[in-house]
Structures are given as structure tokens and as C-alpha cells.
Amino acid sequence: MTFFGAPVYFLAVALFALGIFGFLTRRNAIVVLMSVELMLNAANLTFLAAARGTAHVHEASAYAIFIILVAAAEAAVGLALVLALFRIKQSTDLDVASDLKG
Amino acid sequence: MSDDLLRFAPIALPIAGAVLGMLLEALLRKPKVAMWLTVASLAGSIVSVFGGATGLAGYGSELYTLDAAGGILTAGASAFALLALFLSVNYLKPQDDEFPGEIPILLALVPAGIGIIAGARHAMMIFLGIELLSVPLYALVALRRANAAAVEGAVKYFLLGAFAAGFITFGMSLLFASEHSLDLDALRAAAGRSPVAAAGTALFLAGLLFKLSAAPFHFWTPDAYEGAATPVTALMASTTKIGAVAGLLKITPLLPASAWPALAAIALLSIAAGNFGALLQDRVKRILAYSSVAHAGTILLALAAGLSAADPALAADLHSAASRASVYYLIAYGASAFGAFGIIAILERGGDRFRTIGDFRGLSRRQPAAAWLLTFFLLSLGGIPPTGGFWAKYFVFATAVQAGQLWIAVAGIILSVVGVAYYLRIVATCFMASEDAELGAPPQGKVPLPALLATLAAGVGVLVLGFAPAELLGLIGR
Amino acid sequence: MSLLPLIPLFPLVGAAACAILHARTLAARRRDAGAAQNERVVGAIATLAIVASFAVSVAGFFIIQHEPERRVAWIVSNWIPTGGQTIDFGFVLDPLSSVMCLVVSGVGALIHMYATGYMRGDKGYARFFTYLNLFVAAMLILVLADSLPILFIGWEGVGLCSYLLIGFWHENMKYAEAGQKAFVVNRIGDFGFLLAMFGAATWCVDAAGKGSFQFAAINESVLAGHVEPWQVTVIGLLLFVGACGKSAQLPLYVWLPDAMAGPTPVSALIHAATMVTAGVYLVIRMHPIFDASVLASSVVACVGAATALFAATMGLVARDIKKVLAYSTISQLGFLFLGAGCGAYDASFYHLVTHAFFKALLFLGAGAVILAMHHEQDLFKMGGLKRALPLEYRTMFVGAAALAGIPLMSGFFSKDEILGGVLAGRPVFGNEQINLVLYVVGAATALMTAFYTFRLIYLAFEGESRSNEHPHANPASMTIPLAALALLTIAAAALGLPSVFGEFKPLEHWLNPVLELGGESGNAAKAHGLSHSAQWLLLGASAAIAMIGYSLARATYGGGLAKSRARAEAMPGIYKTLVDRWYVDELYHAVFTKTLRLAGVVAGLFDAYVVDGAVNGVAASAKRAAAAARGLADGKLQSYSLWFGAGAVALVAAVLLLI
Amino acid sequence: MNDWILPLLVGIPALGALAVALAPAKRDGLFSLALLFCAAEAALAIFTFTKFDGTNPNEQFSFSRPWFALPTGAGEAVPVAFHLGIDGLSLLLVALSGLLAPVILLSAKGHIERREREFLVWSLVMIAGMQGVFLSRDLLLFYFFWEISLIPLYFIIGIWGGPRRVYATVKFFLYTLAGSVVMLIALLYLAYNFGTVAIQELSTKDIPVRAQLGCFLAFALAFAIKVPMVPFHTWLPDAHVEAPTAGSIVLAGVLLKMGTYGFLRLGVGMFPAAAVQCGPWIAGIGAAGIIYGSLLAYGQSDMKKLIACSSVAHMGTIVVGMFALNAAGLRGGILQMINHGLSTGLLFLLVGVLYERRHVREIAEFGGLAQVIPAFAVVLTVATFSSIGLPGLNGFPGEFLCLKGAFDASPLLGAAAAVGTVLGAVYMLSMLRRVAFGPITRGENQKLIDLNGREWASAIILLIPMVWIGLQPSLFIKPTEPAVDLLISQIEKGRRSLALENGASLKIANAGAAETGKSGGRR
């Protein structure tokens, strides 16, 4: 079944991989948050792509909305935390946050 | 009609309490109201679980139904949240200018999230439960905004948590892509058929393992535990694992039975990483954090065993044995960990002195009661009878032996002996300091009553579990 | 016959009484240092206990006359239930043990009386008599036992008392070391005895296949041939190892010379009359084993002969009066084993009895001399005591004459019987010539014995006094036993005149039931029987040997010390080695004590570094792993997420692989 | 039927611990309260010994309450019961533990100056744990008490011990724990594969030989560490040297016996075929242990370490006796367990007496004590001779039977084990000589005071049974005989099933190819 062969899944997996790569390599907190958003959107894409042309399209869109909603909540709290970190450390570079170790 | 209300009560009450608490607190500016509201709602949640909220059919039951084990987990989480609330009542006041009002609201949401996961019959419900559990915790960890460690811990916890969320969602999407449904029963029926579904489950699993703080996903735990205020750490230690295991109990069956070695490997890796991590630690909270990683590994041993049966008849038995063992373990471990952090919270009384093992030198002469109680909790964490921790360890390894994994059980239990070493180090520092050793200054101020009650409650829980494991076993079994 | 347990019971009660008195004295002394000891009461209790026991033995001696096989037993059954062969606490009074009882309690009583005088003024007076009574009790248990384990109880009991008594003056570390040496060497012997006991119990089975510890059963089983030859030999040899330990034969004799550290009555009682003869008693009691195994009995004979010769040589040059007597005891015991080894059990038992009398006499005499000379024991510092101590001189002369084997003395007849037994006895290792060689060795030993005995007499009593001490007279309580023993020594001759003077051998007839167990093989010497002419020849030879020894001693030491010194220097090499006791002590010390101490240190090091090292190594490697684990958590979010990603990828890969 | 005795045997010290923990009294009040409980415990123990029916081989006074059930899936579950029972094998050990209770207290009064309350609580918990181990007839309960009894000694050594106490106590705790967790796995294996954890049932079930071997080795590891057998013994000298006197008495007196008792009840009792298979090896290691322990003891300069090493040798004798697997050896092993408890307990008591006065344990520090403190010297001499097995004292019957058992099993083994008697005499007597005899070398020794009333009391409590066993061994051996004969029948069963097993494998081997093939099961 060529179903899985469809190019859209390659895009989704690429997005997901890009998100992971961004999360691992970037040091700026904001960019890291953005790469998480990328990963979440990769999931959305897969949901919608999978449900295209089937009876489950409403179900898939509901899940996508859920994920977007959760992403928003996370972003809110995340940015608040990054702000708090910035106020203390005057930098959004995540290497600054490495006092706790061992 | 009343059935529907009763079925959702365990999760509805805390959420309602939280929302109402926020409104009242905004309007009336009196934090005490929010606190009592939360206490009431959490108590209501516990009562409703035992009042028959489990196993009810009816509206929405295909999305959310609380079974006996799920009920125990929700009630346990609510109880630990309640105790954490008592623990933190006047913990923060002295030197922080924060509104204590936030604490009860956030505390109420955590058990709600766990309740959702415990009753979830749908993958998305699990994901929502995890988010509802995690986001308040990120905030709670960073409660003391001025404190660099707290914020750093929170940021790390948050970012890795978000990372895990990414994996979970992408995993779910793969599941949906291959099975066109996220209903857990349907997914379980299709377990092991398509590689995409298996990959999806694996990704979902990775997220849950992060939550469980199993190795190699555990690196956030020490920093988060150390950064957070002690009552919050107590909450995290006792509840995050409940949520993770609730999720794992529903997701692992989705894996093909032949995949159990992967879980077993992670389990042994966690026990080793946790125990060896803690062996040379000097800061007590990091020791208990690494010990929680080891305990996560032990629970995983049971789950791996639960998964390992090929033929369906034995599979059902093993899975019920695994869930029984892990639920018992969560409650016993939760109570012990909560108790240990409770003692530290009482000793610290908001100050910052009882951080390293050195601060505990000769504690048995300054605060004998605290020393003896701490020893009791540590022995339970070490799995030494007559504490609840012993039976928890016993049931987990019983499941592993029942599944025929003798050598894994032996490896696991030998590694757990390494674990006992660092608990003994703390006990030794408290009791066996030489006469002339100069002792840390005694904590000033009187012992806060609610915190004391919370810790004693945890102690009674561990003692009861120690001498009479049948009661809880019965409850879970039914 | 419930009288039997009384024999050992009296001394036990005596020992307990003395112990209580000693404890009271100690308590009194703690209050005020000078508290007087009730020496008189203690002495009386102790001596009476032994006399009572002697009386019961005499009564027993007459009672068993009328018993069918002259045998009376008393048993407490199932003393130690072993699940196999039962061990009953049983005593038996038969001809052999009754004579031994008489000798032990008789000589014991005399020595106790002597000791009341000898030990006067010693601050451990009551303690001394506690141990002495305990010793006699243990010896009586040993003699009366009817099975090997009960004999073993007496055996180790006497070992304990000899340990306590040798180290009696424990303030002096040398004496304490001597006591320990005695016990350890005895223990080495007991090791052999223990294994022999187990061997006998398992191998010597009766017709029904059931083993037993009883002498009667074991002997019967051996005679009935239920036991393979090699097993009999092994049991025999192991028994002999035990006997060597107790009766100070080669190579386990080293403890006896040092045992002279104990008070002289102890040397007389334990190291002359009773304990050291226990080994011979054992061999005689288990003689069917030695009859059945040629190898075992031959070893006994040869070791006996070798010890006799070897000890005699050392006796020639010893300077300490008690050491001379100690070497002579070892030598005479060698004689006993020589006789027993050749099958002349009644001869060696006869010599055992006579030796008990005259050796006890000599020791007590030596004690009197030492006491008179204010604890001077070196012969070269004595001399001319004949005038000062007339009674001691005469009694010791009688003892010396008996020991040397001067004709018509009891020692002469008993030693001659043994030498006769050797010649006519069972061929050692199966060929006659060896018997001849052993006879020659025996004769040489007899010669040396005569020489050193009279050397002692002349050095101590003849010539002018070489010390500025002026000897004082000894109390009556010491001289009476001397006289009594002298009479006994003389009378003992009557116990076993050679058959050439007519068949008057009361001791031999008396022992027949015990020694006739094996029928013909029981008493080999009697069966062959030397022709009259051979016996006369033998008697003449023994007499000649004794007289030569006497005159040689008189010649060398008669004229005072100076001349004898010159002769000794004439052969420096031999003299030196003899004085240094063939360097045996140094050899033992180097071989045993040093290696054992070294092994202890090596074991300690091995234990600390290897075995314990392994345990600590495990802990250290755990710590190293812990350090590595800590290193991973470097606090950087990137590395955490790296681990997270790697973990996720690995998990997915694993699941996919394992489907 | 009087099934109240056994729960009380465990209950009295436990209640005592609770009472002492909560009692408001001060130092002496606490001691007398604790002593009261210990005296009751001792009385009950002696009462149990007298009322024990010596002819009945199986357990008596059994007390059993269901505790909980371990669900094993498919509906049924493994019943776990709080099941106490006493029989020939555990009778003497229960009596000894009861008897030692007052001794521990009396000796502790002398040298425990600080935190008495905690010490008394831990000692009483210790006694309860010990009795629990000897009385439990359910494997899980056995394990429960087995690990509980570790904690009190951990604290006793840790808090009141010598300079290196923390190292010693952690080493003791972890070493024993590592062994016992492996036992837990075997225990679980039995629970799931044979559906029961009751020792009685498991002994009657005929477990396949291969499974028996696996479980036996797992149990054997835990017990070998506890006994301790030679390669696993390095924790004992450290624990003894650092432990306070009372701790040493209870450690040497009873704790080591849990290992040998475990070997007997769980090793030989439940896995006879494996016991027969491994018997010669374990007996061999035991014999090597005797010699190695003796050499170790000979090289020691610290009096307490010397006695600790001597315990390694003595326990070796017990193991040799037991694993001779015959009537004499088993009887000897059981009797020697309490003999070692009594004589080594007394020796440690006496070392404690010296330590309380001179605060030093080096043998060189003493010398000529017989002149200064004669009473002490007499008791030390009696204890020394009892420990090297002098007839008339308790050491002889036990050691005699062990060696006889070993000899019956194989003369070579008997000879090797008997060497221990000679070596024992060497190092014990040299210690006695250097301590009690010879001139007084140190000035401080002049002013030593002799045994006081308390020390005499605890010494006499030990001396009476020591002499009694020496004079009347049958009184103590007879009650154990039926249980031993039952064990022998187990061993025979094991031998038969082993022969069957080897026989079967032999037939296969023969059927496969014509080859020499070793004969059937080794004896």
C-alpha cells in the first residue's frame, strides 16, 4: 500500500527530525522552544495527512487542535520560565543554566 | 445521571477546586480560601474513588473509566498532593514574598492530571493527563522566582518535558497513521502487527519513561529535585511516577510481547544509573533523586516481566501481577519518599541548611525523633523489612520470577543492594558521628504542626504497608 | 557393684573441697594480705581422699577374686547418643585395672603425704592439692574406663592436670611455657588417639556388623578377625601415636624434661608413676590389636628401644638432678614399650609397677635433697649429703639400686623379665635377628642406666660438699613416704621371680584373664619359655651389666668432681652434643614453632590483602562506577537532551528489531 | 494446646523494646526494666526446653495465623502465614537465645555509658529477631526476621563500637544483605514453581534435582556468608573488633548460628539431593576453614580478633559435622552450635571485662593477671578449655560427635578436621598464657579489680549450661534425635533421587555410545 509512501510523511518525519536537531544543537532558549513547536507540528501534520480521505478526518482535526492548544499552554509557561531565567542570569543562553550538576 | 457525575468526581473535583480557587483568590485576595478549597476538593476526590467511582459504565465511558488499580493511583496521588499542601503551608512564608495562593491551585491540578491518565481509555487522554500533570509542576518547581537554582531546575525540567511531549505526540500520530484510531483497546488488539505502530508506541514510551525518570532519560531528575522547594520535591517524588506508571500500564500492552528485553534493559540500566549515581553524592536531595531513578528501574522490571508472556492466557496473569506489583510499589515508594523529604522540609523550616550529608551529622542527638523517623523512611526506600518498601521490592521481584526471568531478577536485586549503601551512609552520619564531632546548628523555630502531621501520616502508611500488605493488595486486586 | 564409682569420686570431692578452701583463702587474703592458710586441714582432706580411694581399691581387689572372670562393671548407659555406636559412661574393675588402681592410689597417697610437707609455706597450697586430687581422679577414670571415649576423658583430664601442675608457679613464664608445651604435645598425641577411636568404632564390627567403643567388643572383633589387617595396623599405629604423646616416647618426648618445672611431688606422681604409664596401660589393654598386627607391635618395640637408648645417653650428662631422673623415666618407658612390643605384656606390666615404686622414691628423695639444699637442683653444686641426710641417702640408694638393676632388687628381676621377653618374644618385623639387636640395645641402656643412677648418688651424697649451704633436716611427713616406698621397692621383687626359681609369679597369674584374651597368642613370651640354662645365662648377664655400671660410676665420680671433669673433656664432641640434648629442642623449635608462627602471619596477610582485598575491591569498583556516573551529569541541558534523544532512538530501534 | 508459648518468645523482647522506648525512667530504671523482660524471656525459653516432647520429630507448639496471599495468577495464590513452630533442630538454639538475653543486658550495663535507652531497644529487637528466625516455619517469615535481625546489630556496632565502627558495620550489613537477597530470589522461585512457602510442605515435595541444586546454591551463598565459611569470613573479625562487648556476645553467641541453622533446616531439609551432591565440597571447605581460621587466630595480637578468628574455625567444625550428613555429624553440629555460643560468648564477656578496666585489647598489654585477679583467671581458663573441647566441659561432646561424623563420612575429612583440635589448643593456650600467666608486665595491671557481682552473674549463667552439657550431654542431645533421624530420612530420599537422576543420565550416556561411563551417583 503506497499509503505510507506518500511524500507528506517524509515531510512530517523531516520536520520531526529538524525539531530534534534544533533542540539538541541550539543554545538559545527561545530557539529551543521553537524547535519543540516544530516537533508538535510534525505530529499535527501526520494526524491530518493520515486522516485525509478517510472517515476519521474530524477526529484527526480534533486531535490536531488539542495538540496546538497544549503547545500554546506549554509555550506560555515556557516563556515565563525563560523570562525568569533571563532576569537572574541576564542571558537566554542555556549553558548559563548549568550550576546544578554531579 | 448520578453515575456519570460520580464517575468523573475523582478528576472533576480537584479541577473545580482549582478553578474556583483561582477566581476567589483573585476576587477576595485571601489565600487561605484557596487552600481550604483545595483541601476539600482533594479530600472529595479521595472519598469519591473509594465511594464507588470505579468501574462505572455509561456516558463517555469509552474515553474515561477508572478501574480499581487506576482508582488507587488517583486516590494515592490526591493523598500525596494533600500531604504536600500541608507540608508547604508555612514552609515558604518566612523569607519569600510569593503569594502562597498559587500553591494550593497548582497542587490540586497534579492529581487531576494523574486521574485522567489512570482512567484513560484513549491515547489522547493520556497525553492530556500528562500535560495537566506536568505544567503545574514546572510552575511549582520555579515557585521561588528569585532563587537561581529553582529557576534553572524548572527550565531544564520544562524543556526536557516539552521535548518528551514532542515525542509523545509524534508517537501518537504514527499510531493513528497506522491504525486510524487512538482507542487503547483497539490499539492493544493490533499490537505488534505494523512496524509503524510499534515505532509510534516506542516514541510514546520514551516520553513516559522520561516522566518516570528512567535512565537514560533521567538527567532532569536530580536538578529538578534539588532546585525545587522541598515540599514540591516531596510532591514530585511521590506523584510523577504514579502518573508515568499509570500511562505505562496502558501503553506497554501496545508493544509486541517480544519487545520485553528492551524494557528490561532500560530497567536494569536505571537501577544501575540511579544507585551508582547516588553512591558518591553529597547533597541529600540529589541522593534521593538518584534513588528515585533506581526505584523507577525497579518498577520497570515488573512492567517488563508483565509484558514478557507470549501466550495470551499467561499474559493476562502476568500483566495483572505486574500492575498489582507496580501499584503497590508506587504507593509504598511514594509514602517513603514523601516521608523522607517531609523530614528534610521540617528540619529546613524554609532555611537552607540541611542540604549536604554533613549537615545531618549527629542528628540523632539533636533531634532523635527526626533521626529515627528519617531512618525508618530510608530503610523502607532500601527495601529492608519491616517497612512497606520491603514488600514493594518483594512483589516486584516476585513478578519477575513468575515471568521466569531469574537472572534479570538476580541482577536487579544485587544492584539494589548497592542502593542500600548510600541510605546507610545517611543513617550512619545521623547516628554514628563520633562524640567530639561538631554538630550543625539546630534548626530555629518550632516544628510546623501540619508538616509534622503530613510526615507522620506518611510514616503510618509505610508502617501499615510493612506489617499488613494484604489490605492494599486486596484493594488493588478487587 | 556401686562401689566402683567411689574410687574416682573421693578425689573429685577432695579436689572440690580444696578448691573451696582455696577460694576462701583468696577472699581472706584480699581482705588482709597475711591471712594464714589452713594448710593442715587442706593437706588432711586431700590425703584422706586418696587413702579412701585406695581403701576402696583394695576392697575391690578382694571382691573381684570371687567374681567368675574376676571382672566387675558399673555403667551409666547412653551417656552420649551418637546415633550409631552408643557411648556409655562405664567403669570396669578387672585384674589389670585393679592393680593400676592400687598403684595409682597407693603411690598417690604416699606422694600426697609427702607433698603436705614439701609444699609447706607455698601461697597456693590449697590450689596445689586441688589440682593433685583432680589428677588422681582423672587417672582413676582413665584406668577404670571400660571404653575408649571414657578412657579419653581420663586421658585429657590428666593432660589438663599435668598442664596446671607443671605451670603451677605460673608467675615464672618459663614454667607456664613448659606447661603449655606439655599440653600441646599431648594434644598431638590425642589427635592420633581420637582417630584411632573413630577407626575402632567404625571398623571393629561384631558379627552383626555393629561397631562399638567398648574395649571388650573391639578386642573380640579383632580376635574374631572381622577387621581387615590394614585397619588393625592403622588403629594400632594411631593408638601408639597417642601413647607416645602421653608416655613421652620419640618423637613426642620433648615435653617431659621441661615438665620438671613443676613441683617435685608432681614430677614424682605424674611424670614418673602414673600418667606417663598410661600409654603402656593402653597398649596392654588393647593388646589383641598389637598381637594381630606385626607391623604395629614391631614399631612399638623399635620405638621403645630407640627411645630407651636415646634418653639414656642424655641422662649420662644431665646436671639437674630432676632432669637425670626425667631422662631415666623416658628410658625406662622405652623399656616398657620394648617389652610390650615383643609381646611380653606381663613382664612390662611388672616393670611398670616396680618402676612406679622406685622412680617415685627417687623423685621424692631428690625433692628432699632439693628442699634441704634450699632449692638447689644442680648436682655439681651438691655433694657429701650422706652425713647430713642419712635416711634420704639410704632410701635413695635402695631406689637407685632397683633402677640400676642391682641383683636381688625388684628392678633387676623386672628388667630381666623384659630382656628375656625380648629374646624369647615374638620376632620383630618377622625375623629373629632384630630381637637380638633389640636385646643388645636394651642391655646397653641398662648399662648406661646403672652408670647415671650411681653417678647421681655419688655426686649428690658422696665426696665433700661443694656448696656453702648447710642442709637442714626434712620433716617427718616427707621421710615416712620415703621409707614406705623403699620397703615397697624391695617387696615388689616378690611379685614376679623368674621361673627358674620356681613358678612363683603372682602378678602373672593375676593378670592371666586379661592377658589370656588371645589364648596362645596372648602371652607369647611364656609360650616359648627360655630353657633353664638360657635363663641363668640371662640373669648372669644382667647382674654383670649392673655391677659394671656401678663400678664405672664409682670410679669416675667416686673421687670427687675434678677427675670426672677431665674424663668428660676427653671426648668434647660427644659430650657437647649430649649436653645440648642432641639439639632436638632447637630442631623442634625451628621446624614447628617457627613455621606455625610464620604460617599464622602469612595467613593474616593473605586474609587482609587477598580475601579482604577482594571485598574492598568490589566496593572500590562500585565507587569508580559511581564517579563515572556522576561525571555524566554535567548540568548542561544539551548533554541531557543528547542522552534523551539517543535513548529514544535506541528504544525505537530495539522495539523494531524485536517485533 | 499451648500455642501461646512461641508468639510470646518473640513477643516478650518486642514488647520489652517498646516499653523501654517509651518508659520515662532514667538509666538504671531502664536497665532493670529491660532486664525484667530478658529474665522473662530466659525463663520462658527454659520452660519451653523442659516442656518440649523429646520423642516427637515434627514441630510442636505451632502457632499459625494467615498473613497474606501472594497471587500467582490463574486464580490461586501462595498462602503466606505467620507460622511459628519449634522442633528438635531449633529447640537448643531457641533456648540459647533466651538464655543469652540477660547475659547481653548484664554485660552491657558495664560499658554502655551513653544513649542507654537506644541500646536497650536495639538489643531487645535483636533478641526478638533472632527468636523469630529460629521459630519461623514459613520461608517468607524466615526471610522477614532474617533481615530484621540485621538492623539492630548494625546500630549496636555502629553507635557504640570502636574507632572503625562505621566501616565494620556497613561491611557486615551489606555483605550479609547481598547474600540474603539472592536467597530471596530462590525463595520466590520456590513460591511460584511449587505453590507454597511453608517449609514443611517444601520439605515433603520432591523438587527435581536440577532445581534443588540451583535453590540450594542460592540459599548456601546466604548461609555461607552468615556462618561465616572461609572465603566469606572477612567481615567477622572487623565486626567483632569494633563491636561493643554485648554486641560481640550476641553476634558470636547466636547470629552466626542462623547460618548453620539455615543450612540445616533449609539447605539439607528442603534440598536433600543437592545437599548430598554438594555435601563433600562444603564439608571440605569447612575443614579448610578450620585450619585457616586457626592459623589466622594464631597470628593475632588483638585478643578479641583472636577469639573472632577462633569462631571461624569452630563454625568450620560445625559445618564439617553437619555436611558429613550422617547421624553423628548432625547431632554434633546441632550441639556444637550452642556450645560455641556458650564458650565464645563467655570469652567475649571476659574480653569485655578487661576492656572495661583497661580500655585496650592487645594481648601484650596483659600478663600475669592470675596473680592480680585470680577469679577472672579461673573463669578464663574454664572458657579456654571449653572452647578447645576438653572432656568434662561442653566443648567435648559436640566436637567429638562432629569429628566422628566427619570420620564416618570419610577418614581423610575426619583427620583434616581433627587437626583443628591441636591447632585450637596451640593458639588458645598461648593466648591464655600470655594473658593470665607469667610475670606482671604492666603497672596498670597491678590495680585491676576482680569480677564484680554483675559480671559473676552473667558468667555463671553461661557456666552452668557449659558444665551441665559436659557432664550430661544426653539430656541435650536426646530431644534433638527424632528431628535428626527425620532429617536423615530426608537425606536418604535425596540420595535415592540423586542416584535415580545420575542413573538416568548414565543410561542415556550408555545408550548413546559404548564408553566407560562413571558409576552411578557418588556416595
Side-chain angles (χ1 to χ4, degrees), chain C residues 79 85 170 180 187 607 612, chain D residues 171 233 388 433 438 471:
Chain C
W79 184 58
Q85 308 81 350
H170 49 69
Q180 180 189 329
R187 213 53 199 291
D607 194 58
D612 216 7
Chain D
K171 182 174 179 177
H233 65 289
I388 49 179
R433 172 173 54 81
L471 297 181

Side-chain angles (χ1 to χ4, degrees), chain C residues 437-485:
Chain C
V437 166
L438 290 184
Y439 174 78
V440 166
V441 164
T445 317
L447 180 68
M448 283 191 271
T449 314
F451 176 78
Y452 65 62
T453 318
F454 284 99
R455 165 177 175 269
L456 180 143
I457 295 294
Y458 281 108
L459 282 177
F461 291 98
E462 301 299 344
E464 31 341 290
S465 156
R466 285 184 289 280
S467 79
N468 37 36
E469 306 276 347
H470 42 74
H472 60 77
N474 288 320
S477 66
M478 286 171 61
T479 46
I480 294 168
L482 284 177
L485 278 172

Side-chain angles (χ1 to χ4, degrees), chain C residues 485-539:
Chain C
L485 278 172
L487 287 177
L488 274 172
T489 313
I490 298 163
L495 281 175
L497 295 173
S499 53
V500 99
F501 293 147
E503 277 314 305
F504 181 69
K505 285 181 180 284
L507 187 60
E508 200 183 308
H509 297 316
W510 173 252
L511 289 176
N512 274 351
V514 175
L515 298 183
E516 277 314 298
L517 276 183
E520 198 279 326
S521 71
N523 206 327
K526 201 145 58 60
H528 294 297
L530 290 172
S531 62
H532 273 285
S533 55
Q535 280 186 357
W536 277 111
L537 206 64
L538 190 65
L539 281 171

Side-chain angles (χ1 to χ4, degrees), chain B residues 54-405:
Chain B
T54 56
L56 299 176
Y59 170 73
S61 64
E62 74 285 352
L63 273 181
Y64 173 83
T65 324
L66 214 54
D67 59 6
I72 298 289
L73 291 181
T74 319
S78 307
F80 288 130
L82 198 61
L83 294 182
L85 183 58
F86 283 124
L87 202 60
S88 56
V89 158
N90 37 34
Y91 176 86
L92 291 177
K93 210 178 308 168
Q95 94 287 13
D96 282 300
D97 52 9
E98 298 316 315
F99 301 111
E102 266 83 7
I103 302 173
I105 297 158
L106 293 173
L107 281 183
L109 290 176
V110 168
I114 292 173
I116 292 171
I117 303 172
R121 304 256 316 263
H122 188 279
M124 187 52 87
M125 286 294 278
I126 297 179
F127 173 63
L128 287 182
I130 288 173
E131 288 311 307
L132 188 57
L133 161 69
S134 310
V135 173
L137 272 181
Y138 304 147
L140 277 169
V141 171
L143 204 59
R144 297 180 295 191
R145 277 207 296 274
N147 179 322
V151 171
E152 182 190 324
V155 163
K156 284 186 189 168
Y157 185 21
F158 164 74
L159 284 174
L160 286 167
F163 196 49
F167 277 89
I168 292 175
T169 46
F170 193 73
M172 274 201 301
S173 60
L174 288 181
L175 274 172
F176 182 79
S178 73
E179 306 303 332
H180 291 290
S181 149
L182 282 181
D183 177 79
L184 290 179
D185 300 337
L187 291 174
R188 189 178 305 117
R193 265 216 300 281
S194 87
V196 175
T201 322
L203 286 174
F204 201 119
L205 211 61
L208 285 171
L209 289 177
F210 160 80
K211 257 295 167 235
L212 188 65
S213 61
F217 314 95
H218 67 288
F219 285 101
W220 62 274
T221 321
D223 299 356
Y225 278 31
E226 190 181 5
T230 315
V232 172
T233 317
L235 176 74
M236 279 170 62
S238 47
T239 53
T240 44
K241 289 190 178 37
I242 297 181
V245 169
L248 281 170
L249 280 174
K250 297 190 186 302
I251 292 302
T252 40
L254 270 56
L255 278 175
S258 58
W260 69 269
L263 266 186
I266 291 184
L268 289 179
L269 191 66
S270 312
I271 300 179
N275 285 339
F276 287 126
L279 209 54
L280 292 183
Q281 262 311 334
D282 189 33
R283 292 192 288 275
V284 174
K285 279 205 215 164
R286 288 190 82 87
I287 291 179
L288 292 176
Y290 276 110
S291 108
S292 82
V293 173
H295 287 288
T298 318
I299 299 175
L300 262 180
L301 263 185
L303 294 176
L307 184 66
S308 67
D311 66 87
L314 188 58
D317 284 347
L318 268 184
H319 183 68
S320 63
S323 70
R324 221 183 2 266
S326 39
V327 167
Y328 189 95
Y329 199 100
L330 285 170
I331 304 297
Y333 163 72
S336 320
F338 184 90
F341 282 112
I343 299 283
I344 298 172
I346 293 173
L347 290 174
E348 278 180 345
R349 292 200 186 84
D352 200 6
R353 237 174 310 50
F354 280 84
R355 269 179 358 93
T356 60
I357 288 193
D359 303 342
F360 284 80
R361 184 170 302 113
L363 183 68
S364 61
R365 283 200 298 283
R366 290 179 277 140
Q367 271 83 21
W372 283 60
L373 208 52
L374 179 63
T375 307
F376 179 69
F377 287 125
L378 289 175
L379 286 182
S380 176
L381 287 173
I384 312 285
T387 61
F390 168 69
W391 294 114
K393 187 171 79 173
Y394 175 82
F395 291 131
V396 162
F397 285 106
T399 320
V401 167
Q402 186 179 354
Q405 301 161 350

